[in-house]
Amino acid sequence: MDKEVVADEQEALLLTAADAQAKSCYNSIDWKISEDAKVIEMLKLMVANKIGALAVTDGEDKVVGIVSERDYLSKVAFLGKTSDTTTVKEICTHGISNLVTVTAGNPIDRCMEKMLGRDVRHLLIRDKKYGGPDTNIIGIISIKDIVKCSHEKTKAQMNRLEDLVLVHDITSKV
């Protein structure tokens, strides 16, 4: 077996939130919006970038929340509010202690557990192991990013198992 393939498979077994972030479409766009922005601006960014959530920032450009298409549907459209007069702050999940976050080093499986446990489709990535008021949010990943990494990991696990079976078959015939 090619050494490069083995190394790639080994890496796939150890994928983290940072790996998901590196593959994410959020890496190539501005994934933040001001809490004072109108919801219509949020929608335009989401549609233009084909994304479902944005990190929400305060006046000092510090991430203080997250807003998703679910927030729009349940807090604007369903209630009959208008997107050109409602602010992002009115509909977002606000406050660092209310956010679902992971560190860049969290394994993909842990990211998936957090998403499933909190029923969210996006995770904010923080720079420190423990959250708090001085936590710095450094990125965002989506369920799609997690699925990509999880699929890669599953393929690597299957290849490993196939190799073990092959080795077992060869050695049992000797």
Side-chain angles (χ1 to χ4, degrees):
M1 182 176 268
D2 188 347
K3 288 181 181 180
E4 190 175 301
V5 172
V6 172
D8 289 346
E9 285 182 3
Q10 186 64 29
E11 288 175 18
L13 294 171
L14 304 172
L15 290 170
T16 64
D19 297 310
Q21 182 185 15
K23 300 168 193 268
S24 178
C25 70
Y26 283 97
N27 243 359
S28 61
I29 63 166
D30 183 4
W31 44 271
K32 299 176 186 175
I33 190 164
S34 169
E35 64 186 353
D36 297 323
K38 300 297 182 200
V39 170
I40 190 69
E41 294 172 48
M42 174 201 84
L43 293 172
K44 287 177 183 177
L45 281 172
M46 287 181 175
V47 170
N49 293 296
K50 298 180 183 172
I51 56 173
L54 291 164
V56 178
T57 59
D58 63 12
E60 298 172 7
D61 202 37
K62 182 164 176 67
V63 175
V64 293
I66 189 166
V67 65
S68 71
E69 72 266 352
R70 280 185 185 177
D71 293 319
Y72 169 73
L73 289 172
S74 63
K75 299 173 186 172
V76 179
F78 182 74
L79 298 176
K81 294 183 177 183
T82 60
S83 55
D84 50 351
T85 59
T86 306
T87 64
V88 170
K89 185 175 185 174
E90 293 175 65
I91 68 167
C92 72
T93 299
H94 202 274
I96 202 77
S97 62
N98 295 320
L99 302 179
V100 184
T101 64
V102 293
T103 61
N106 274 132
I108 285 301
D109 293 341
R110 179 69 183 125
C111 297
M112 198 177 328
E113 288 169 6
K114 277 210 165 190
M115 283 183 160
L116 290 169
R118 296 288 296 272
D119 192 27
V120 296
R121 293 181 283 183
H122 297 85
L123 292 172
L124 294 170
I125 302 174
R126 64 182 187 278
D127 64 347
K128 295 184 178 178
K129 187 170 183 173
Y130 301 104
D134 61 338
T135 298
N136 187 30
I137 302 297
I138 58 172
I140 185 171
I141 54 178
S142 72
I143 187 93
K144 182 179 178 181
D145 304 320
I146 300 298
V147 168
K148 285 179 192 175
C149 288
S150 184
H151 179 66
E152 202 174 315
K153 181 178 177 179
T154 300
K155 285 192 320 188
Q157 289 170 326
M158 291 298 294
N159 287 340
R160 266 203 165 171
L161 289 171
E162 288 171 1
D163 290 346
L164 287 172
V165 169
L166 184 61
V167 167
H168 179 341
D169 285 350
I170 290 171
T171 58
S172 66
K173 292 178 183 176
V174 175

